[in-house]
Amino acid sequence: MLVLGASTQSFLSTILFASSALPILIAGLGWGNRAAIIAVLSSAVLGAIMVSPTFALMIGVFTLIPAGWLSHLANLARPASELGGPDNLMAWYPISDILMHLCGLVTIALIILGFMIGYGPELTNSIVDAMSASLSAPNSEFAGDPQALAQIQQSLEQTKSIIVLLMPVVQGAAWVALLFAAFYFAVRIVSRSGRAVRPREDMPSALRMNRNAIFIFLAGILMMFAGGVPAMIGATICGTFGGGFVMSGFAALHFRSLGKDWRIPALTLCYLSTMMMLPAFAVLILGLFDTRRTIALTPVKAADGKQTNTDINEQN
């Protein structure tokens, strides 16, 4: 129903679409894999009956399967002794690895969507041409200023070759951030309900990217220079994994500013400034340099997550 709402309400479409992962995440985090599988299958079947099989495939690839898989990973635990820890503790699947899985799932989803809609220069050029035509319309605010209109149209023509790679980057980063936000809120909701299997962790200290994600990100950058389909796939990888590193950088900023008087204004300025390219790139670099695997530990008798957890950090 949230996805159907997203298709009719353009203003909140992205938020409603991402929020559709919440029910799956809550079911999986609170009731386990069986509930998550039932939720995914029932949602897909309802989508196919109410709309179309293509619609069911789209919501399955973009929200249902990633949400179910994230809830499965979040509930994974094993004895800490297997990792060299104490015998009386359980070790939970690291948040850094969960985030890396999310980046990979969103990458696959965007690639599938790209093949379904025939994404490429022809599609992006038609979008740019439609924008240019709308600016030339008689009721356009630029209709009375031919010189300004000509400059804008010239700029649009020059950006055609950039947009085909820019759109996957932006969409990939945004979707990773939205789905992880849904995961974060689902964890909080389930923790408040008392049904949480996994202990609730401190995100500023736990949210980092796995160091192996750096090599995937670099591979995406190299693919962007290959041209054609490999370049678009590389742009998608850069967007999804770059979005993960940006979130990791913000988490590091939150962690390093704890207890500081200037925390609120500094973080507000950082968030506002990242709407520009250079500050966002600086946060990305911070995320690249602060890779870490934080493993939450709980006593074996309290594997339901109700006890306070400790962390093991592997940092480079």
Side-chain angles (χ1 to χ4, degrees), residues 120-130 160-161:
E122 296 81 7
L123 179 62
T124 55
N125 289 348
S126 64
I127 294 174
V128 173
D129 292 339
K160 279 185 176 180
S161 59

Side-chain angles (χ1 to χ4, degrees), residues 49-312:
I49 294 173
M50 296 175 65
V51 184
S52 68
T54 303
F55 175 82
L57 175 63
M58 182 187 68
I59 64 173
V61 169
F62 268 93
T63 59
L64 303 181
I65 294 176
W69 184 248
L70 291 185
S71 65
H72 164 70
L73 294 178
N75 290 338
L76 290 179
R78 60 178 175 173
S81 57
E82 296 181 8
L83 304 175
D87 295 332
N88 63 330
L89 296 178
M90 293 291 292
W92 298 85
Y93 201 75
I95 290 290
S96 59
D97 293 1
I98 292 176
L99 180 57
M100 188 170 72
H101 276 260
L102 175 60
C103 295
L105 288 170
V106 174
T107 300
I108 295 171
L110 287 175
I111 292 173
I112 293 174
L113 177 65
F115 279 109
M116 288 175 61
I117 66 175
Y119 183 82
E122 296 81 7
L123 179 62
T124 55
N125 289 348
S126 64
I127 294 174
V128 173
D129 292 339
M131 294 172 58
S132 179
S134 65
L135 293 174
S136 304
N139 58 347
S140 171
E141 61 178 310
F142 298 100
D145 192 347
Q147 184 176 0
L149 178 61
Q151 291 178 349
I152 293 174
Q153 290 179 336
Q154 183 179 3
S155 300
L156 289 174
E157 289 293 327
Q158 293 173 348
T159 58
K160 279 185 176 180
S161 59
I162 301 175
I163 289 177
V164 69
L165 297 180
L166 184 62
M167 287 182 66
V169 172
V170 175
Q171 290 178 345
W175 198 245
V176 166
L178 287 170
L179 284 184
F180 191 83
F183 172 76
Y184 173 76
F185 285 114
V187 169
R188 291 182 65 94
I189 291 169
V190 176
S191 297
R192 284 293 184 91
S193 71
R195 294 199 58 91
V197 177
R198 183 190 181 95
R200 182 177 162 188
E201 298 171 67
D202 178 51
M203 285 298 174
S205 61
L207 180 57
R208 300 292 187 275
M209 283 288 278
N210 189 308
R211 66 193 63 159
N212 295 326
I214 296 176
F215 303 106
I216 303 174
F217 181 67
L218 292 177
I221 294 176
L222 293 176
M223 290 175 66
M224 290 180 66
F225 293 96
V229 174
M232 291 185 285
I233 295 176
T236 305
I237 294 173
C238 288
T240 53
F241 283 83
F245 281 113
V246 169
M247 286 196 298
S248 174
F250 275 118
L253 289 173
H254 277 266
F255 181 72
R256 296 180 183 186
S257 63
L258 285 173
K260 307 295 185 182
D261 295 336
W262 43 266
R263 173 182 170 84
I264 300 300
L267 289 176
T268 302
L269 181 62
C270 287
Y271 278 107
L272 292 176
S273 63
T274 49
M275 290 186 289
M276 296 179 288
M277 182 65 68
L278 187 59
F281 184 73
V283 177
L284 171 65
I285 295 298
L286 178 59
L288 285 168
F289 276 96
D290 192 3
T291 56
R292 180 185 306 173
R293 296 181 79 240
T294 303
I295 303 175
L297 300 176
T298 56
V300 174
K301 64 178 182 180
D304 59 357
K306 295 181 181 179
Q307 297 292 328
T308 303
N309 63 292
T310 56
D311 296 329
I312 295 177

